[in-house]
Amino acid sequence: MPQSVLADTVRSLEAFAAEDTPWRPLKNALPDLRDRVDWLDRQIDRIPQPLVAVLFGGTGTGKSTLLNAIAGAPIALTGERRPTTEEPTVYHPPAAGEEFGPARYVESPVLDDLVLIDMPDTDSIKVEHADRVQQLLKKADVVLFCGTQQKYKNEQSLTLLRPLKDERKIVCIQTLADQDADIRVDWLDWLRKDNFLVDGCFRVSAQRALERKTGAGAGDEFEFPALEEYIREKLPPERARIKEANIAGALKNTLTALEQRLDGSKKNLEAARKVIVKAEQAVAHASMVHLQDRLLNEPHVWIVAVGNAVSERSFGVVGTLFRVLHWIRMAPSRIVGRLSLSSLLRTFNRASEETAGGVSVPDESEGYLRHLAGRFSQEHAEVNAYLARAGFPTTPFAEWSTRYADELRQRLDEALAPVQARINRRARMLTRWVLPLLDLAWFVPFAFTIGAPIYQYYAHLVLDAEVVLPETGFLGRSASMLGAILFIELALFAWLVRTSGRGLRKRFKRQLLKELEAGGFGFGAERGVVQQALDQIGRVEDIRRQLPPA
């Protein structure tokens, strides 16, 4: 697998591990995941360094003898005492450039790009030996699993290898071929049952190979020459490929373990999301019902709001009369300082106010909103139960009630914003188009009433025409007619204002219902953390897809 792909995948996993989350299954997994990502980073940095092969096995499996045979000299301590290997022996090329902690370091004149380490026994009774084996396994690229007929199905060794499955190249070596029967078939079957992939299996006589090299004797070494060629000639050129394959296996194991850890909670997350959606719908519907009883059953508030906006823009005779009548009607409210029609909405009566005669949610409505939140304790308790089951911290009801009141207030304001703009547009339409037409309808008969006597008078002066005086009571009848026209026009204009107010109330109802049903109302934070957790599961799957198939 290309090193660039591995690096990109590790960076994606590193960014994922750096995030914080309230979801307990992932939060508990993050410390181990961050340690794992750090190790993967170090492994990528180690790709150019020499390959590290460790001699791995239980006591008396010939690990030290095998290292001596490869080195051609007794560089590692051997003997009958168990455990024999008290400290690791590191057989390395010149300037290996890597430290393996406390160990006996021996420079090799024949090894190139390969470090061989004789580790303590995997089944040693000394605890520090087991810890040292685990430390060295973290730096190993190849595990040379040594065994004999008496000790090859070593469960303690297998326990140490299981976490490294697919993350290390494994080669099995039967070291006492001159003394033991061939165990390779049974050994490989035993490992395959545990899903281990073994790259090769050699049957050698390490002692005879050492004796030959030291001139102490000669005999059948079995497959030792092939093993020596494999270690010295075949492994080093494959350094980059082996290390990249190990890192890819480690990445897949890491992602698989993380997916298994998170997928167990996926059903609970889905169930929590469904309950939250159901609770949001119930809260939105009930809130709308309660608000409708108070907010939308006060048409006078909306009529006054439109009246305020219209009166500020009114001009002409009809407009002036409407403004005077509206001021008189609003005088009690101005004296008290507020409308006593609704504790939920406040009508702005002063023309100097920025909203120019609109409606908004008042401060005194906060108590009502908190009281309204108290009706949803059952929905809150049900959502909390499902959140706790899915692995999230729960929210106290008092905290949720405050959040509900703030959110409902915000949504009321958001629903009022377009309605306020509509009020201003309706007021401009009424004052720019309707008022001039009404004034024109009144001005024509008024001009005729005033103009007729004046025309007769000047016609007599200029043309010496006979003056035809209006009938007795003409001016009275004309004044009555003009008054009636003004009354009808004023009544018509007031009706238009009232109709606009009622229409805007219906529009606000639709807008508010849309705001409440938009989703996330009441339990938006809970919905957010559940969705975040589901997205995080999806991100793990996306990171896995960055790796090409095996």
Side-chain angles (χ1 to χ4, degrees):
M1 185 178 298
Q3 184 175 338
S4 59
V5 175
L6 294 174
D8 289 342
T9 308
V10 171
R11 278 195 293 268
S12 299
L13 195 58
E14 186 176 17
F16 178 83
E19 297 177 3
D20 197 11
T21 176
W23 187 32
R24 194 160 46 250
L26 179 56
K27 191 171 186 177
N28 294 340
L30 284 180
D32 292 339
L33 180 60
R34 288 165 184 158
D35 291 342
R36 185 71 160 171
V37 168
D38 290 341
W39 179 83
L40 287 167
D41 274 331
R42 292 195 299 271
Q43 292 301 104
I44 291 177
D45 293 338
R46 286 184 61 246
I47 289 178
Q49 297 179 10
L51 201 66
V52 177
V54 294
L55 296 169
F56 176 88
T59 57
T61 55
K63 302 186 300 297
S64 300
T65 302
L66 180 60
L67 177 61
N68 291 338
I70 294 172
I75 62 172
L77 181 64
T78 61
E80 297 297 328
R81 184 174 61 89
R82 299 289 181 261
T84 304
T85 306
E86 292 288 343
E87 66 174 359
T89 299
V90 180
Y91 190 48
H92 62 88
E98 187 167 2
E99 285 294 327
F100 299 92
R104 184 166 178 255
Y105 290 86
V106 179
E107 187 173 303
S108 167
V110 294
L111 290 182
D112 182 24
D113 234 6
L114 178 67
V115 176
L116 275 176
I117 303 178
D118 178 22
M119 296 199 302
D121 302 326
T122 57
D123 55 356
S124 173
I125 60 174
K126 295 185 177 181
V127 177
E128 60 269 22
H129 285 182
D131 294 340
R132 195 75 177 96
V133 167
Q134 291 181 340
Q135 293 171 5
L136 291 171
L137 280 175
K138 290 181 179 180
K139 293 190 174 185
D141 303 306
V142 180
V143 175
L144 303 177
F145 193 174
C146 299
T148 65
Q149 187 176 2
Q150 290 74 30
K151 189 176 288 186
Y152 66 97
K153 291 183 179 180
N154 187 340
E155 189 60 36
Q156 288 170 295
S157 298
L158 211 58
T159 300
L160 291 170
L161 281 182
R162 281 195 185 101
L164 306 178
K165 196 180 297 182
D166 300 327
E167 300 181 16
R168 302 292 188 277
K169 190 181 188 71
I170 299 177
V171 178
C172 291
I173 305 173
Q174 182 181 354
T175 57
L176 301 179
D178 55 320
Q179 302 176 27
D180 298 341
D182 193 342
I183 61 172
R184 289 177 293 179
V185 174
D186 188 49
W187 195 5
L188 293 176
D189 288 342
W190 179 68
L191 289 172
R192 289 188 185 113
K193 287 179 182 178
D194 220 319
N195 297 317
F196 279 97
L197 296 178
V198 179
D199 189 62
C201 190
F202 297 89
R203 185 167 179 256
V204 306
S205 174
Q207 183 63 38
R208 288 181 178 176
L210 176 60
E211 291 173 354
R212 174 181 59 82
K213 289 188 176 185
T214 58
D220 188 2
E221 301 172 14
F222 295 88
E223 297 177 351
F224 182 81
L227 173 62
E228 192 170 33
E229 181 185 5
Y230 177 81
I231 291 175
R232 289 183 175 181
E233 306 297 334
K234 293 183 179 180
L235 281 181
E238 294 290 317
R239 180 199 65 216
R241 187 188 64 79
I242 292 172
K243 291 190 175 188
E244 289 169 358
N246 290 345
I247 295 170
L251 269 172
K252 291 176 181 177
N253 288 348
T254 302
L255 292 170
T256 298
L258 186 60
E259 285 175 339
Q260 291 174 349
R261 196 164 183 173
L262 301 185
D263 284 347
S265 302
K266 192 169 183 179
K267 290 183 179 179
N268 290 334
L269 289 174
E270 296 287 357
R273 182 167 63 176
K274 290 180 181 178
V275 169
I276 289 172
V277 171
K278 179 182 175 183
E280 286 176 344
Q281 292 172 347
V283 170
H285 177 75
S287 299
M288 190 66 188
V289 170
H290 289 296
L291 290 174
Q292 189 167 337
D293 290 341
R294 294 171 63 89
L295 170 64
L296 300 174
N297 277 346
E298 297 287 357
H300 190 65
V301 173
W302 302 88
I303 294 169
V304 169
V306 178
N308 285 347
V310 169
S311 66
E312 292 173 4
R313 297 171 173 82
S314 296
F315 61 91
V317 177
V318 177
T320 302
L321 289 175
F322 177 82
R323 181 183 296 180
V324 171
L325 290 176
H326 184 74
W327 189 92
I328 293 173
R329 187 171 61 143
M330 297 300 299
S333 299
R334 296 178 186 278
I335 295 173
V336 175
R338 59 181 292 275
L339 281 175
S340 60
L341 298 171
S342 173
S343 63
L344 184 62
L345 292 181
R346 172 164 51 99
T347 304
F348 290 95
N349 301 306
R350 296 184 297 276
S352 61
E353 290 185 337
E354 294 180 359
T355 54
V359 289
S360 70
V361 184
D363 293 337
E364 59 266 22
S365 67
E366 192 70 26
Y368 169 72
L369 297 181
R370 289 180 181 274
H371 172 73
L372 184 58
R375 299 174 179 267
F376 305 121
S377 57
Q378 181 176 350
E379 287 81 359
H380 172 266
E382 185 177 12
V383 169
N384 263 1
Y386 276 83
L387 286 176
R389 191 179 306 166
F392 292 99
T394 56
T395 306
F397 184 69
E399 180 182 335
W400 180 85
S401 299
T402 301
R403 194 178 72 208
Y404 166 86
D406 294 341
E407 188 174 353
L408 181 56
R409 185 185 184 90
Q410 178 184 353
R411 297 214 177 191
L412 284 170
D413 287 338
E414 290 173 355
L416 281 168
V419 176
Q420 181 60 60
R422 186 81 176 184
I423 288 175
N424 293 332
R425 288 197 300 271
R426 189 65 58 87
R428 284 195 295 270
M429 183 193 73
L430 290 174
T431 53
R432 288 180 181 178
W433 299 100
V434 178
L435 275 181
L437 291 175
L438 293 178
D439 276 338
L440 182 62
W442 174 85
F443 183 75
V444 170
F446 174 76
F448 175 79
T449 301
I450 299 300
I454 296 175
Y455 173 78
Q456 291 291 333
Y457 176 75
Y458 281 101
H460 171 71
L461 291 178
V462 176
L463 303 175
D464 197 22
E466 182 180 355
V467 176
V468 180
L469 296 175
E471 298 178 1
T472 305
F474 169 76
L475 293 177
R477 288 195 299 274
S478 296
S480 298
M481 180 187 68
L482 291 174
I485 292 174
L486 278 175
F487 177 79
I488 293 172
E489 290 181 342
L490 190 59
L492 176 62
F493 190 70
W495 177 82
L496 290 175
V497 171
R498 292 179 65 87
T499 302
S500 297
R502 293 179 182 275
L504 289 170
R505 180 173 69 109
K506 294 179 180 179
R507 185 181 183 87
F508 174 72
K509 178 181 178 180
R510 293 194 299 270
Q511 185 68 28
L512 179 58
L513 186 61
K514 181 179 178 181
E515 291 288 340
L516 295 181
E517 292 180 345
F521 175 64
F523 297 97
E526 290 79 0
R527 176 200 281 256
V529 295
V530 170
Q531 188 58 50
Q532 180 191 24
L534 290 170
D535 291 342
Q536 286 166 332
I537 293 177
R539 283 183 60 194
V540 175
E541 296 171 355
D542 292 340
I543 293 172
R544 175 181 284 280
R545 281 192 285 270
Q546 290 182 235
L547 293 172

